[in-house]
Amino acid sequence: MINRILVANRAEIASRVFRTARKLGIETVAVHSDADADLPFVAEADHAVRLPGNAPADTYLRSALVIEAAKVAGADAIHPGYGFLSENADFARAVEAAGLTWIGPAPESIEKMGSKIEAKKIMASAGVPVLEAPASPAESDLPLLVKASAGGGGRGMRIVRTLDALEAEVAAAEAEAKSAFGDGTVFVEPYVEAGRHVEVQVVGDGAGNVAVFGERDCSVQRRHQKVVEESPAPLLPDSVRSALHEAARNAAAAIDYRGAGTVEFLYDAASERFWFLEMNTRLQVEHPVTELVHGVDLVELQVAVAENGVGALGGVSTGSTSVDGHAIEVRLYAEDPTADYQPQSGTLTALEFSGDARIDAGYTSGSEVSTFYDAMLAKVIVHAPTRDAAIRRLSSVLRTARIHGLVTNREQLIGILGSDAFRSGEVTTSLLAKEAFLSTTEDPGAPVAAAIALAERTRRPGIPVAWRNVPNQPQRTVFEDGSEDGIVVEWRGTRDGYVIEGQAVEGFEVVSATGDGSGRDTVVLEKDGLRTGYTVSIDGASVDVDSAFGHTALKRRPRFTDPALQTQPGSLLAPMPGSVISVLAEIDQDVTEGQPLLVLEAMKMQHTVTAPTDGVLTQINVKPGDQVAADEVLAVVESVESVVEPVETTKEETA
């Protein structure tokens, strides 16, 4: 019997395991880095142990430190979650050697599947179809995919479309894999352009008994990282579905698999063929959709197998369990899809959801999102009788959520769910490469509501704000939009309320403006007979506006600008806090627009900073290994036009 579980992980997956542990009457222990000390999962645990430091290599990836924390806390079992040490065979062995229960597969199984190269050999021997790469690729073999052997999540993965780019892409993949997983081994396989990512959930007991809990479609991906997952997979012929389940069962049985795992396949709908990709010897991020449609708690099954040992399932389920309705999960990331998915960090001032949904979140309102870990904030999951009903319900939950303080992919998720491509079920892994699904819809009423809410904050009770007996110029509130003029809202305060002026906001009438004392103001506007309510949250110069039209983040422009805050033209600013990996150019070097100049690493991803224009690199302020803050000046490129060539003159001309 397990009495106290330590979760060797963080954020939402730690909270998820704690939830099942509490249901089973098992005490919980959290481990946390310094950056994570105030996150919800730490407070949710019965006990917590600090792992000094912030970087994964100093904290969650130090197996000896985690095991010592378990001993200090009196834990008798360790659950690894996903990522970090979850698929580290040496860690699993060390846990068992310490006399603790390992809630995961046997170390030997982890080892066999840990190398994608070796895993393919085992699967081929078990009769599971695999993709084979040519020993000497030719033009006819393109495109190719370079993949990290030891990891996943899109890191260490590159698509190669020309043979002359193969060597460079392999080197880049090796570097990223080494940074992310400590192992730079990569391999090459054919890249299926219009493939679907379909995976099968299995639970084994180490004695050959394997229960199959259906499949998930995880084809909607960015940078080979899953964004939307659903179960069951749409538009999958019954014959293919059965064959996938059987292949997954054979794959798990081939290594006497114990515990929960996922066998991932690449499926080509045109030919109805599929191939083994990899086996994840752990709980998947997207496991909630399986739990909802199959009515099962996969963490509870993990604990049961760990407690009861080999043969725990006893052949209870050797076929697919029944499916109830449809479930869809989206991953909400702190990232900007309009800026090449640049990760965001800082204070998440609001994270609130309404509606019928399961929210597995690692953060809450007021949480600080650091640069040290993955940018996922929460998983939003819905379950409905049909796929169409699930899509509509999930879209509504996302639209009505209050998410403030950081840029997220929320609008992109709504765009994906509402697209014809997704609604038809005909999605592939290249969907987001073809279309970003970025909403360009702007709500002209949002700046008006924001300006009125700001005005209300300065008004004395019973007195119209800015009211004068003799009206003069209207009041002006300006919000930043990247342009010189900004978004200008002109308004007057009268005995009868506010009057909105200006062409940009013409036609709006202020029906009412009230505050609830909690920092939120409600402004009701009317235009062309349509009345709309806006909820406005103000935090210094930042103003967030939520309405039926969606969310608008605004920043109020100060009336006076401090010259000291101005940056030199051509300055390259750090897009996010992070560390400098490499500097690719030298001072006084001629550079061209788009040329890579520096590489930063943040949230386990590398980001290239490029030259904004043709010119000369006149200044470099950083070196490899430096930690930089957001908006810090990294370098300066003077454009060709601004570089004045000296004019040679003769002595006679200067006399």
Side-chain angles (χ1 to χ4, degrees):
M1 293 287 290
I2 294 174
N3 296 303
R4 186 176 294 177
I5 291 177
L6 179 143
V7 178
N9 220 294
R10 63 181 295 277
E12 73 87 13
I13 187 57
S15 295
R16 163 69 191 93
V17 177
F18 292 160
R19 190 162 63 242
T20 290
R22 285 193 297 270
K23 180 177 71 175
L24 298 175
I26 299 174
E27 290 186 60
T28 57
V29 181
V31 288
H32 66 87
S33 67
D34 293 334
D36 285 346
D38 295 326
L39 290 189
F41 80 97
V42 179
E44 290 168 1
D46 296 310
H47 311 277
V49 179
R50 174 184 174 236
L51 304 178
N54 288 316
D58 298 329
T59 54
Y60 300 105
L61 288 174
R62 291 183 62 184
S63 56
L65 199 64
V66 172
I67 292 172
E68 180 60 28
K71 294 178 180 179
V72 168
D76 52 8
I78 289 181
H79 190 298
Y82 54 73
F84 295 131
L85 296 168
S86 63
E87 295 179 281
N88 187 309
D90 290 337
F91 178 58
R93 289 193 180 96
V95 169
E96 294 179 340
L100 303 170
T101 298
W102 168 249
I103 305 178
E108 294 74 22
S109 295
I110 298 175
E111 215 155 45
K112 290 175 181 177
M113 294 294 102
S115 166
K116 294 182 180 67
I117 298 173
E118 293 305 313
K120 282 192 171 189
K121 295 178 182 178
I122 295 172
M123 292 301 104
S125 299
V128 179
V130 298
L131 282 170
E132 293 290 352
S136 300
E139 289 288 344
S140 58
D141 298 314
L142 296 171
L144 297 169
L145 185 64
V146 183
K147 297 178 71 174
S149 179
R155 297 176 184 89
M157 191 177 291
R158 296 286 193 282
I159 299 173
V160 180
R161 301 190 182 277
T162 60
L163 288 180
D164 57 2
L166 180 59
E167 184 178 351
E169 294 291 13
V170 167
E174 287 174 340
E176 192 168 74
K178 179 68 175 177
S179 173
F181 314 117
D183 183 346
T185 305
V186 301
F187 65 97
V188 179
E189 68 181 17
Y191 179 64
V192 180
E193 289 277 10
R196 287 174 59 186
H197 185 120
V198 182
E199 59 190 32
V200 180
Q201 177 69 58
V202 298
V203 178
D205 65 0
N209 301 309
V210 180
V212 176
F213 292 96
E215 78 291 331
R216 301 181 285 257
D217 190 298
C218 309
S219 299
V220 182
Q221 304 177 4
R222 59 99 175 97
R223 290 180 171 174
H224 310 290
Q225 177 74 53
K226 300 164 188 173
V227 177
V228 182
E229 302 109 342
E230 59 182 313
S231 183
L235 301 182
L236 199 62
D238 290 340
S239 58
V240 175
R241 198 183 308 272
S242 298
L244 279 167
H245 294 181
E246 187 63 24
R249 183 180 294 108
N250 292 339
I255 58 172
D256 294 324
Y257 194 74
R258 183 187 76 200
T262 297
V263 187
E264 300 191 346
F265 297 94
L266 183 64
Y267 170 58
D268 178 30
S271 64
E272 295 189 358
R273 297 177 61 197
F274 61 83
W275 302 271
F276 171 83
L277 284 176
E278 61 181 315
M279 183 174 185
N280 294 129
T281 52
R282 54 172 169 80
L283 196 66
Q284 289 281 87
V285 177
E286 58 272 20
H287 75 275
V289 293
T290 295
E291 293 184 322
L292 291 174
V293 297
H294 290 283
V296 64
D297 184 331
L298 290 171
V299 175
E300 186 173 354
L301 281 179
Q302 286 184 297
V303 173
V305 171
E307 285 187 323
N308 298 318
V310 174
L313 294 177
V316 170
S317 178
T318 55
S320 301
T321 58
S322 60
V323 175
D324 174 24
H326 200 93
I328 307 177
E329 170 183 298
V330 294
R331 302 189 190 186
L332 182 70
Y333 285 102
E335 65 184 16
D336 187 355
T338 67
D340 196 26
Y341 299 99
Q342 177 183 301
Q344 308 291 300
S345 61
T347 303
L348 189 64
T349 54
L351 184 64
E352 301 172 7
F353 297 90
S354 59
D356 186 10
R358 168 175 165 177
I359 309 296
D360 285 13
Y363 301 85
T364 189
S365 297
S367 292
E368 193 74 16
V369 179
S370 74
T371 62
F372 298 102
Y373 315 108
D374 187 86
M376 188 173 74
L377 300 176
K379 302 181 306 193
V380 185
I381 317 105
V382 300
H383 181 219
T386 66
R387 185 173 186 267
D388 286 344
I391 292 173
R392 182 166 56 195
R393 185 176 298 173
L394 182 53
S395 298
S396 175
V397 171
L398 289 171
R399 277 197 310 270
T400 57
R402 295 182 70 250
I403 307 168
H404 301 165
L406 297 177
V407 177
T408 72
N409 65 331
R410 187 249 298 266
E411 298 304 323
Q412 183 185 52
L413 295 173
I414 294 173
I416 292 170
L417 293 173
S419 68
D420 292 338
F422 186 80
R423 287 180 179 272
S424 69
E426 298 177 351
V427 295
T428 68
T429 55
S430 60
L431 180 69
L432 287 184
K434 296 176 179 177
E435 183 177 353
F437 300 100
L438 300 176
S439 173
T440 56
T441 303
E442 295 183 357
D443 178 10
V448 179
I452 298 306
L454 287 165
E456 279 290 292
R457 292 289 178 94
T458 64
R459 184 173 70 88
R460 293 182 181 180
I463 301 176
V465 68
W467 179 78
R468 296 183 177 94
N469 285 318
V470 181
N472 195 357
Q473 295 297 317
Q475 300 292 312
R476 289 168 54 91
T477 305
V478 184
F479 300 100
E480 301 286 3
D481 68 348
S483 68
E484 183 177 348
D485 294 333
I487 303 172
V488 180
V489 179
E490 295 185 335
W491 52 273
R492 298 177 188 270
T494 72
R495 292 183 183 275
D496 299 320
Y498 295 95
V499 175
I500 306 299
E501 300 182 0
Q503 292 183 349
V505 292
E506 187 177 7
F508 281 98
E509 296 181 13
V510 180
V511 178
S512 63
T514 57
D516 63 1
S518 67
R520 300 182 194 175
D521 294 273
T522 300
V523 178
V524 179
L525 302 178
E526 185 173 309
K527 183 176 182 180
D528 299 330
L530 181 65
R531 188 170 291 191
T532 305
Y534 294 83
T535 301
V536 183
S537 303
I538 302 170
D539 182 13
S542 298
V543 185
D544 290 277
V545 184
D546 294 287
S547 74
F549 295 110
H551 169 253
T552 302
L554 299 167
K555 186 170 289 293
R556 187 180 186 181
R557 178 178 293 181
R559 294 181 63 186
F560 305 102
T561 303
D562 184 350
L565 299 177
Q566 301 299 307
T567 56
Q568 181 179 345
S571 295
L572 279 68
L573 307 182
M576 81 291 287
S579 58
V580 179
I581 299 300
S582 58
V583 177
L584 307 175
E586 299 178 351
I587 292 179
D588 296 331
Q589 178 180 333
D590 291 335
V591 297
T592 57
E593 181 179 351
Q595 178 179 335
L597 301 181
L598 304 102
V599 178
L600 301 180
E601 184 172 80
M603 294 184 173
K604 301 196 290 186
M605 298 293 285
Q606 292 188 359
H607 308 272
T608 302
V609 178
T610 62
T613 183
D614 295 350
V616 177
L617 184 62
T618 60
Q619 188 175 321
I620 300 176
N621 300 330
V622 294
K623 62 183 182 301
D626 285 355
Q627 295 291 319
V628 297
D631 296 326
E632 183 175 331
V633 178
L634 305 174
V636 176
V637 174
E638 290 192 22
S639 65
V640 174
E641 293 79 8
S642 65
V643 177
V644 179
E645 295 291 339
V647 178
E648 293 187 4
T649 58
T650 64
K651 291 183 178 179
E652 289 76 11
E653 290 174 328
T654 58

